[in-house]
Amino acid sequence: MSRPDETNVARRMRGINRVLRLLEAAAYRTMTDPRAAIAEIDAVIAEHRGDPQVEALAEVARKGLELAAGYSIGDGSRLRASVTELGAMVAGHPEGDQLMGLLPGYLDALQTQQGGDTSAAVAMLADLADRTNELPQGNLLRQSMAEVMPMVQAATRGEASVLPLPRAGSSDAERALHLAARGGTALRMGDERDEVRIAAAIADLREAVSLTPEDHPDHVFHLASLALGLYHRSTVTGLLSDVNEAVTVLERARDLAGGPGNQYWSYVTGMLGQLRNRLGEASPARLAMLEGLRGYAWRVLLEPDPATARAVAGHAATEAIVTASHCLVEQQPEDALRALDGGRALMLFAATELRDPATRLTAAGHPELAARWRATDTPDPLLREDVLQVLARDTGLLDPPGLDEIRDALRRLGVDALAYLVPADPPTPGWAVIAPAAGEPWFLALPNLTVGEGTDVERYLTAVAGRSPDHTTREVGTDDPAEFADRVDALCGWAWKAAMGPLVEPFLSADRVPRLVLIPMGDLARVPWQAARDPGGTYLVERVALSQAASARMFCDTAAAEPVRLTSGGMVLADPDTGRRAADLRSARLEAYGIHQSFYPAATYVGRWPNGRVSPSGAGTPADVRSWLLADATQAGTMLHLASHGVIETARASTSSRLLLAGGDLTADELITLLADPDRHPIALVVLAACHTGRSIHGYDEAYSLGTTFLAAGARSVLSTQWSIPDQDTSLLMFMFHHFLMTEHRAVWDALRRAQVWMLDGDRQPPRTMPGPLRRMLADTDPARVVAWAGFTHWGQ
């Protein structure tokens, strides 16, 4: 609160001094409670609201304290705005101008490092160091960079001897950090074999531990570093005494960390699992490694910036496979299932789970926290952490489903089994880990399930990333259809031999078509498994019904949702005019018009008619789709069919998966927001008859696509695509899908399978409801080509 007799200048100086005092504590690492420091900064901002100088400085300081507390910089937009404002205020002051000229580059380096590209971040910091060397001797910025850069470069090169001594007057915590850097650098990458140097490094790490009190944020990190040093020495000497001590040290670090909310949780528990495994303690090792995966889920849920979250999720997927492999070696497939799900689709889970947590918070008895969440458009890291603490404790947010929950979901949907596919990492084989609807889980070793250089999978993935199967496709930019078709065809034989043959063999004896749900890890997520071809030339789709899931967790969520009745209403969108951003899709118009007239006469038709004229109901704009999604349930219908162009971009600055529509685009991220509306009407089916709508924008293990966005937001079934689908063939497939769905009343998954089998049938006959223009396409195309029918995948009920 301001004092009655205080001048504006004095009040401003008092606020600035409070901020500088907190920054000094962070710089000298004497701050033991970062959250309390951030709360004090917030109090300064509230007290000095309207004073741009104090506000801007405090906003910049707040982000600095968040970084010190282990939170990421996020997208940096708010921080950069404050930096710009602060720069305008200090303009003309020599040192202020110098600082403002370098600070944006430092922020770029931080974001690059948090996005997972450490080497690029070091190069950016080196460039900043060169620029600060041009400043006058004695300049504080030059002096600070001169202290930081040798530590960064030494750690990068593994040269502990060039690390500078701590500056005079350093705090104990600063000295500890220096000692930890020196000790850790000496052992970098486990290359050091000289026992004398290793002992000196461990001594540095022990001293670092002793210099930081247990309540200091660095203490857990120093304990983990000491444990790593002890473990390294045990690998050199062969003595288990260091392993035993390292386990004791890590157990202490785990206790102090307290849970997955600590930034070092995954590192500590993961290493503890590895060391217990070395001691032959298989069960405790598995439990520790599984607990470590909960920390990755926490970090992804906490992180609002997609680039940083993607880096964390990538580590999670890698560690999930490592942990699952340990479980399988110990003959524990149930734990392997849990491990694999702990590293799968975390970004999709975070985007949908935290779109509206207020309802769950209220139900858990925390209405005040729900009110705080609803009161802000951009929750800061502290609020997100408070929410996660409640949801993780009271709702089991971080835990993958157990075997009983998976079995219940399988039985509810009439699925025989759910199977994870894990690629081989030679000499380690690949795996299939299977949870059946009845009976115990089991697994298969699959040595041919490799995706490395020179394999059919690698050649296919290269082609699918940049080429498409037809010059008239539902995507922008295409070439070389013959090469793509050859590579897909070669993949079919490999897919049977490498995985599908051994996996489905136990299910083929049933007197019905078995149904399986696949969750392929890594690059395997892009393989059209339904097109696996046995040595006799029969495709898997002719014998087995396949669906796909983002994760077991999300499969169980979909299965638990009450079915939604498919009606003759909905929305059909046909080839909207994209303003020359993409080619016309004449066949898509015929497809959509025929589907509308034959099966969904009560649906809203937007886009273009077969003759090219714009529908009076709408041009097929993003606003048209938004309006339908948010329309009254009694009028909207429950089916959405989108026949348009799809585009995916994965550059850091423009990562998106989107539909090209008339007058604009509709992105996966926008859909998350739209579909979060609690009053939105239920959706039975979404058909994305556009290119790459099943391709993840954040890596294959994330399964974050246009298709899964609809599914995670509550659509009961979704059809999406794995590549650039050919226009004419897709039109035939889509008409037949809706024919089996609406005329023969098949389930969505069964209707797609039957439509694909119809495409393969050399004696195929079109139903009488098929319009003449579509019938004539049969003479102009070859529906049995793999690229013509295998690109569609079913998700959900």
Side-chain angles (χ1 to χ4, degrees), residues 72 74-75 111-117 296-319 342-351 384 648-657 669 695-705:
S72 83
D75 66 7
Q111 284 184 295
T112 300
Q113 186 272 328
Q114 291 172 355
D117 194 344
Y296 288 115
W298 177 284
R299 302 311 296 179
V300 172
L301 285 162
L302 183 65
E303 180 52 64
D305 177 48
T308 307
R310 182 168 53 198
V312 177
H315 289 302
T318 300
E319 288 302 310
R344 177 76 184 180
L346 294 180
M347 291 183 70
L348 177 64
F349 173 57
R384 292 174 75 94
I648 182 169
E649 293 177 350
T650 55
R652 187 187 192 280
S654 60
T655 297
S656 68
S657 179
D669 290 341
R695 183 176 174 186
S696 175
I697 59 177
H698 294 302
Y700 300 147
D701 283 314
E702 279 313 295
Y704 193 135
S705 66

Side-chain angles (χ1 to χ4, degrees), residues 66 207 335 460 544 669 705 746:
E66 287 178 9
E207 188 176 355
D335 283 345
Y460 157 76
V544 176
D669 290 341
S705 66
R746 302 289 178 178

Side-chain angles (χ1 to χ4, degrees), residues 158 203 247 612:
V247 167

Side-chain angles (χ1 to χ4, degrees), residues 372-620:
R372 283 173 57 198
W373 184 275
R374 288 193 174 109
T376 178
D377 293 330
T378 55
D380 64 36
L382 273 71
L383 177 55
R384 292 174 75 94
E385 186 170 49
D386 289 342
V387 168
L388 289 178
Q389 289 281 9
V390 170
L391 296 181
R393 180 179 64 249
D394 297 340
T395 68
L397 178 73
L398 303 182
D399 300 316
L403 184 59
D404 287 343
E405 188 177 352
I406 294 173
R407 284 172 174 156
D408 182 65
L410 292 170
R411 289 192 287 264
R412 181 187 290 260
L413 297 185
V415 178
D416 294 278
L418 176 146
Y420 263 100
L421 294 179
V422 182
D425 184 15
T428 304
W431 305 94
V433 188
I434 301 99
E440 295 302 312
W442 49 286
F443 63 96
L444 290 168
L446 300 170
N448 294 316
L449 198 58
T450 57
V451 296
E453 186 175 352
T455 63
D456 287 330
V457 182
E458 187 269 338
R459 286 188 285 269
Y460 157 76
L461 291 172
T462 300
V464 79
R467 301 188 174 99
S468 54
D470 195 289
H471 287 292
T472 305
T473 67
R474 304 188 183 192
E475 182 195 41
V476 178
T478 60
D479 60 12
D480 209 348
E483 181 181 358
F484 181 84
D486 288 344
R487 292 186 177 182
V488 175
D489 190 68
L491 189 70
C492 296
W494 170 88
W496 180 271
K497 177 183 177 183
M500 289 297 101
L503 173 60
V504 304
E505 192 275 333
F507 301 97
L508 295 178
S509 59
D511 57 358
R512 55 180 175 76
V513 174
R515 184 184 176 196
L516 304 179
V517 171
L518 295 184
I519 306 177
M521 296 291 286
D523 292 338
L524 300 178
R526 296 303 312 281
V527 174
W529 296 105
Q530 62 273 19
R533 187 176 56 235
D534 70 18
T538 300
Y539 290 97
L540 183 66
V541 72
E542 299 176 80
R543 307 169 69 182
V544 176
L546 285 186
S547 297
Q548 202 153 301
S551 65
R553 183 198 325 254
M554 303 197 82
F555 171 74
C556 290
D557 288 346
T558 300
E562 287 298 318
V564 174
R565 188 173 68 88
L566 194 62
T567 67
S568 62
M571 171 172 276
V572 177
L573 181 148
D575 188 29
D577 186 349
T578 62
R580 298 186 179 180
R581 291 182 296 151
D584 289 347
L585 300 171
R586 300 180 188 278
S587 297
R589 299 178 210 163
L590 295 173
E591 159 200 325
Y593 187 77
I595 288 170
H596 177 257
Q597 295 296 304
S598 301
F599 309 116
Y600 306 98
T604 300
Y605 184 102
V606 297
R608 289 187 281 187
W609 298 109
N611 62 10
R613 296 180 61 184
V614 174
S615 168
S617 298

Side-chain angles (χ1 to χ4, degrees), residues 152-346:
V152 173
Q153 292 169 337
T156 303
R157 296 192 299 263
E159 299 172 355
S161 60
V162 303
L163 283 171
L165 295 173
R167 63 186 173 187
S170 296
S171 66
D172 284 349
E174 280 187 296
R175 290 175 55 212
L177 195 63
H178 171 85
L179 289 165
R182 188 170 72 180
T185 300
L187 301 172
R188 181 178 176 270
M189 303 298 290
D191 291 335
E192 183 58 64
R193 312 315 268 181
D194 186 301
E195 292 185 34
V196 174
R197 292 181 180 177
I198 294 173
I202 290 175
D204 281 343
L205 297 171
R206 288 191 194 280
E207 188 176 355
V209 171
S210 67
L211 285 171
T212 51
E214 288 190 349
D215 63 349
H216 194 282
D218 291 343
H219 191 71
V220 171
F221 169 73
H222 293 323
L223 285 170
S225 299
L226 173 59
L228 185 62
L230 292 166
Y231 173 62
H232 173 66
R233 184 164 65 183
S234 76
T235 65
V236 174
T237 64
L239 298 176
L240 290 181
S241 56
D242 279 332
V243 179
N244 287 317
E245 183 184 355
V247 167
T248 301
V249 169
L250 287 172
E251 287 176 336
R252 181 59 183 154
R254 181 184 60 185
D255 291 343
L256 291 173
N262 186 282
Q263 61 180 314
Y264 303 117
W265 176 260
S266 292
Y267 180 62
V268 167
T269 52
M271 195 193 328
L272 181 59
Q274 293 177 31
L275 295 185
R276 286 203 173 279
N277 191 63
R278 186 177 174 192
L279 292 172
E281 301 171 358
S283 181
R286 288 198 313 278
L287 292 176
M289 296 173 79
L290 289 168
E291 277 294 299
L293 291 173
R294 299 176 81 242
Y296 288 115
W298 177 284
R299 302 311 296 179
V300 172
L301 285 162
L302 183 65
E303 180 52 64
D305 177 48
T308 307
R310 182 168 53 198
V312 177
H315 289 302
T318 300
E319 288 302 310
I321 290 177
V322 170
T323 302
S325 296
H326 278 285
C327 295
L328 294 176
V329 168
E330 297 296 327
Q331 304 289 309
Q332 299 293 329
E334 184 174 348
D335 283 345
L337 287 165
R338 179 182 165 195
L340 291 169
D341 221 56
R344 177 76 184 180
L346 294 180

Side-chain angles (χ1 to χ4, degrees), residues 730-751:
T730 296
S731 296
L732 292 169
L733 177 67
M734 288 293 92
F735 186 89
M736 292 307 301
F737 161 73
H738 286 287
H739 164 76
F740 286 114
L741 184 68
M742 298 299 288
T743 302
E744 299 197 6
H745 306 292
R746 302 289 178 178
V748 175
W749 58 270
D750 190 29

Side-chain angles (χ1 to χ4, degrees), residues 658-674:
R658 64 187 191 273
L659 294 168
L660 301 186
L661 302 178
D665 300 343
L666 193 61
T667 69
D669 290 341
E670 183 183 357
L671 284 169
I672 286 287
T673 303
L674 285 171

